[in-house]
Amino acid sequence: MPRMTINGRLADAVRTLDVLNPANAQLLDRAPCCSAEQLDEAVSAARTAFAAWRDTPLEERRATLRACAARVREHRDALARLITLEQGKPTATAQREVMGAARWIEHTAGLEPPSESVPLDASRVAQVIRRPYGVVGAIVPWNYPIMSAAWKIAPALLTGNTVVLKPSPYTPLATLHLGELLLDLLPPGVLNIVSGTDEVGASMASHPGIRKISFTGSIATGQKVYAAAARDVKGLTLELGGNDPAIVLGDVDPIAVAARIYAAAFENAGQVCSAIKRVYVHRSRHDELVSELASLATKAIVGSGLEEGVTIGPLSNAQQYHRVLDLMAAARADGGVFAAGKPGPLPRPGYFIAPAIVTGLTDRSRLVAEEQFGPVLPVLPYDEVSEAIDRANATSFGLSASVWSADVAQARALAPRVEAGTVWINQHMSILPQLPTVGLKSSGFGAENGIWGLECYLQIQTVSAAS
Ligand code: NAD
């Protein structure tokens, strides 16, 4: 059984939780379930480590992060195998996740935390400096365990904070292994990794020793974290769910764009916060696009992520599997037509669903209105671009969106009208370490990545002297 990293040591489990393999629904391993005392110990270690880590020269912190990135890269295969076993994604996708995490850590290591001088008059200059919070509590979901962890660990540590990180109870194994791998590279207490149930996350969100929470997960849980963090006015970043629309204009050749739309909808079996979750296509292109997407879906190879050639693994856990099956049944009941796939599970053990393309729904259908987070994509026709934008915006989600057009200038002009933190043009899910990932509306606040993400781990302090 893997162990937690607390205060520079591997901590034994007092209690455990079961981790299942979604490809067969069998017990894969057990993981520690962090006790209240162990969480206190991790937070206290992070608090103690903070002063020295904050005062460590920035160049040394950069070098440490670069060494962490190299260590992650060296252990790509072991980390990827654990991700596939506990989360389900195909090996090649898991390997990309690990290499992406290393790339993100390395990129973040090179960023420059801002600080400004403000001239007040001929003789006086005030400083606006940036201070780390102290202990950051990082809480992550199950869809990209190592990537999500890297997105939080790297900027928090570069800016001089220390971290207590909790992976999802569904996917603790790769993250616990990451803690072991980085153990000798970081001073004790700088990075603590604790695994456990949702209650451990709730205890972190209300822990008086944690000064900032960086949370990625569902809107429902984000609301609870928001309320808990309000008690002692912690800093907070919320990266929550999305229901990303792709708006395909009438000037687009559906055959040319279908593969990119399909890839951005079905990556990781659709379990990506910023996957395409609904497609609005001009009525003149609807049938062609549906037929091309359906043909791609029919060619998908569904199976265990460890099998050669598999393109779609199982859903990650029973809860998500049943939720997606329920949304598919609701879509069928609403009159949805399955151009590919069919409502219901595949007849094999594990949480497998064949990718589905669904037409004939209205925006009120739950499959369109809710975040499916699974391999089922609704396609809806529209007549006027402004109608498509209004329908895309008629939701409380605001994570990301895309506009597809042969006329890039026209698409750029439409982008500001789309209520989403990122608007891609002729692409979707092109997430880069140098650009901020942000949510509008109920999809959250604060940024991850780039200089904007770094700023979210820093507080502003004004220093202004009399003449
Ligand atoms: P979730 O909200 O159920 O859980 C996320 C994490 O929060 C887990 O570690 C969980 O144990 C913990 N948690 C649960 N209850 C808690 C509480 N009361 N207080 C503190 N922590 C608690 O989300 P999930 O099902 O693991 O992930 C799927 C969701 O995450 C989807 O909605 C998806 O869109 C979203 N997501 C968003 C992004 C983004 O960047 N915007 C990225 C990935 C996933």
Side-chain angles (χ1 to χ4, degrees):
M1 183 172 63
R3 290 192 283 169
M4 301 186 289
T5 303
I6 298 177
N7 199 14
R9 289 189 299 272
L10 295 176
D12 285 323
V14 183
R15 290 179 292 135
T16 62
L17 54 91
D18 291 350
V19 182
L20 303 188
N21 178 346
N24 57 21
Q26 301 292 309
L27 181 70
L28 171 64
D29 203 343
R30 293 198 163 84
C33 184
C34 186
S35 66
E37 293 72 30
Q38 286 174 316
L39 179 61
D40 284 344
E41 193 189 337
V43 174
S44 157
R47 277 171 77 101
T48 306
F50 172 60
W53 182 247
R54 175 195 57 200
D55 294 341
T56 300
L58 179 62
E59 289 313 313
E60 262 181 58
R61 294 204 301 266
R62 286 193 206 288
T64 303
L65 281 177
R66 288 185 176 124
C68 292
R71 184 66 59 83
V72 168
R73 227 174 245 131
E74 278 164 36
H75 293 266
R76 181 195 75 168
D77 291 352
L79 286 166
R81 187 175 163 79
L82 285 172
I83 293 173
T84 296
L85 285 169
E86 65 183 344
Q87 195 276 333
K89 61 175 65 95
T91 297
T93 318
Q95 289 177 344
R96 275 206 305 279
E97 176 180 344
V98 176
M99 296 308 269
R103 181 175 156 225
W104 245 259
I105 296 170
E106 204 157 68
H107 179 87
T108 305
L111 294 175
E112 193 59 40
S115 92
E116 291 111 8
S117 297
V118 181
L120 300 177
D121 54 39
S123 61
R124 290 191 308 145
V125 176
Q127 269 82 42
V128 179
I129 57 179
R130 303 296 196 282
R131 304 164 57 90
Y133 279 85
V135 181
V136 169
I139 304 175
V140 299
W142 43 259
N143 57 339
Y144 284 86
I146 293 297
M147 191 63 148
S148 308
W151 280 26
K152 299 192 188 304
I153 293 169
L157 296 191
L158 183 77
T159 46
N161 299 279
T162 54
V163 172
V164 176
L165 178 127
K166 189 193 91 66
S168 163
Y170 294 115
T171 55
L173 303 178
T175 315
L176 291 168
H177 188 51
L178 177 72
E180 285 182 40
L181 290 174
L182 303 184
L183 200 57
D184 65 310
L185 297 177
L186 293 159
V190 165
L191 173 62
N192 305 274
I193 296 187
V194 298
S195 49
T197 56
D198 294 351
E199 285 70 41
V200 177
S203 302
M204 287 171 67
S206 59
H207 201 293
I210 293 180
R211 282 309 312 149
K212 155 134 196 162
I213 293 284
S214 178
F215 172 83
T216 301
S218 62
I219 291 176
T221 308
Q223 289 167 325
K224 291 184 198 163
V225 171
Y226 204 167
R231 270 180 234 153
D232 57 351
V233 197
K234 289 189 203 326
L236 189 58
T237 296
L238 294 177
E239 291 289 337
L240 307 179
N243 190 8
D244 285 18
I247 301 171
V248 183
L249 304 196
D251 62 359
V252 164
D253 172 5
I255 311 297
V257 299
R260 269 176 282 157
I261 291 176
Y262 176 85
F266 291 94
E267 169 86 10
N268 196 22
Q271 301 164 114
V272 190
C273 54
S274 53
I276 294 177
K277 303 210 172 100
R278 46 197 173 121
V279 176
Y280 292 99
V281 55
H282 191 266
R283 195 175 297 281
S284 63
R285 301 296 196 181
H286 174 268
D287 292 356
E288 259 179 298
L289 183 63
V290 165
S291 137
E292 195 61 21
L293 289 171
S295 144
L296 290 162
T298 312
K299 286 184 202 130
I301 302 170
V302 181
S304 156
L306 293 179
E307 286 163 28
E308 194 70 31
V310 159
T311 55
I312 298 226
L315 277 286
S316 272
N317 52 70
Q319 188 191 325
Q320 188 59 24
Y321 173 66
H322 291 297
R323 176 172 160 70
V324 175
L325 288 176
D326 186 42
L327 287 174
M328 290 172 102
R332 166 58 61 83
D334 289 344
V337 176
F338 282 69
K342 53 178 190 245
L346 285 175
R348 55 184 286 177
Y351 308 133
F352 293 98
I353 294 176
I357 305 293
V358 187
T359 62
L361 295 173
T362 69
D363 292 351
R364 282 191 304 279
S365 177
R366 287 182 55 212
L367 182 63
V368 181
E370 296 181 20
E371 181 189 35
Q372 68 273 48
F373 220 61
V376 192
L377 181 66
V379 183
L380 305 118
Y382 70 84
D383 295 300
E384 300 292 336
V385 177
S386 48
E387 171 210 334
I389 291 177
D390 288 348
R391 289 167 64 189
N393 288 342
T395 170
S396 57
F397 294 99
L399 192 56
S400 33
S402 52
V403 178
W404 301 72
S405 173
D407 180 349
V408 173
Q410 183 193 7
R412 276 187 192 280
L414 293 174
R417 292 171 54 190
V418 181
E419 294 168 359
T422 299
V423 180
W424 286 293
I425 294 171
N426 293 333
Q427 58 177 355
H428 198 108
M429 231 161 66
S430 167
I431 296 170
L432 298 169
Q434 59 269 45
L435 288 177
T437 298
V438 290
L440 304 187
K441 304 201 280 191
S442 299
S443 290
F445 54 79
E448 293 205 282
N449 304 329
I451 198 69
W452 304 270
L454 212 60
E455 291 249 25
C456 289
Y457 289 94
L458 291 164
Q459 288 185 296
I460 287 175
Q461 184 176 51
T462 303
V463 180
S464 177
S467 51

